[in-house]
Amino acid sequence: MEDQIERPEVARLLNPPALAAYLAERVPGDVTAPLGALRVRGGHSNETFFLWRGADRWVLRRPPLGDYLPTAHDVTREWRVISALAGTAVPVPRPILFCEDKAILGDAFYLMSQVDGVVLRRRLPTWADDPASRHAIGLALVDALADLHTVDWHAAGLEGFGKPEGYLERQVRRWASQLEGARTRDIPALDAVTAWLAAHLPASPPATIVHGDYRLDNVMYADGLPVRVVGVLDWEMATLGDPLADLGYLLAFWREASDPPPALTAQDDWRLVEAPGFPTCAELAARYAERTGRAIAPEALAFYHALAIWKMAILLEGSYKRHLAGVTDDPFFAELERGVPALAEQALAVTRGA
């Protein structure tokens, strides 16, 4: 791997001399070997680096530089949940070290094992060139989610990790408030979905660990057959709450060959699951119900599916407001003029099919 540790932007995030000395004191191995680093780009979550020292290979996660909301980029939350899940049926990287001393990197960070595998985004590997393998990819994805939702979070030591009671009501109230703050124009479909969600709150099943960002490109697969998930990644949105919110989120990022073209170019990453063999949304939901023993009424499933799309539209409408204010020059945000109303219409269609 290319060593980027001396690049200015990497050095600012890693403070290599201080980090190397800190790891030499606390992580066994060849402490005389130089520390190498590769920054992993993609997404807008916590900063991720591959690190190596001699034969050792790790992954380091830390918040981005600059100001951010106190609840955002919470590596403490990530560390706590992967530590709780280590040893369960949920495949997570092995937690190695957590550092809350901001004198080292300027912020908290943690170290975990590096998982060997592939993240599926935009294109499929050669071992997935047949419908049976593609079907297995979808089933393995939903099976890992079912495994997560069967973990006894009390026994895992996650008391106080979240507020499971009233989860859905808080979600609708909080995001409706965010919509008011993001408004720059009338989007009737978005308002119609807001009203529908408030009027159709389902009764939640018992609370589980909720990933909060569960989709195909936030898991890692073994690079070859048989198909299996070897790592569930990006836990910074994790909490305790309604497990079906994760299922709805997964469906919101899933596509079928009969779907209309994506509303946004960023959604092109998800089009690989349009290939023959991938399970439909209905098949994913049925598999989840089978694996968890949870009966899911069609209207309830529509609620969780629409909730996820609605939240995505509100988040992006906030980005569009920033674009109009000239805060960002990212060309993607110009797409949101049409993209957000298109997402709102998509969410509305889900509610009408309930």
Side-chain angles (χ1 to χ4, degrees), residues 318-349:
S319 298
Y320 183 62
K321 183 176 183 178
R322 293 174 58 225
H323 168 74
L324 293 179
V327 176
T328 175
D329 59 359
D330 188 331
F332 165 72
F333 293 121
E335 294 182 35
L336 301 180
E337 179 180 2
R338 296 181 180 181
V340 171
L343 285 174
E345 292 290 346
Q346 183 184 343
L348 187 59

Side-chain angles (χ1 to χ4, degrees), residues 303-318:
F303 175 92
Y304 294 105
H305 191 174
L307 175 70
I309 302 170
W310 174 75
K311 287 166 60 177
M312 192 188 319
I314 293 170
L315 178 68
L316 293 176
E317 184 65 3

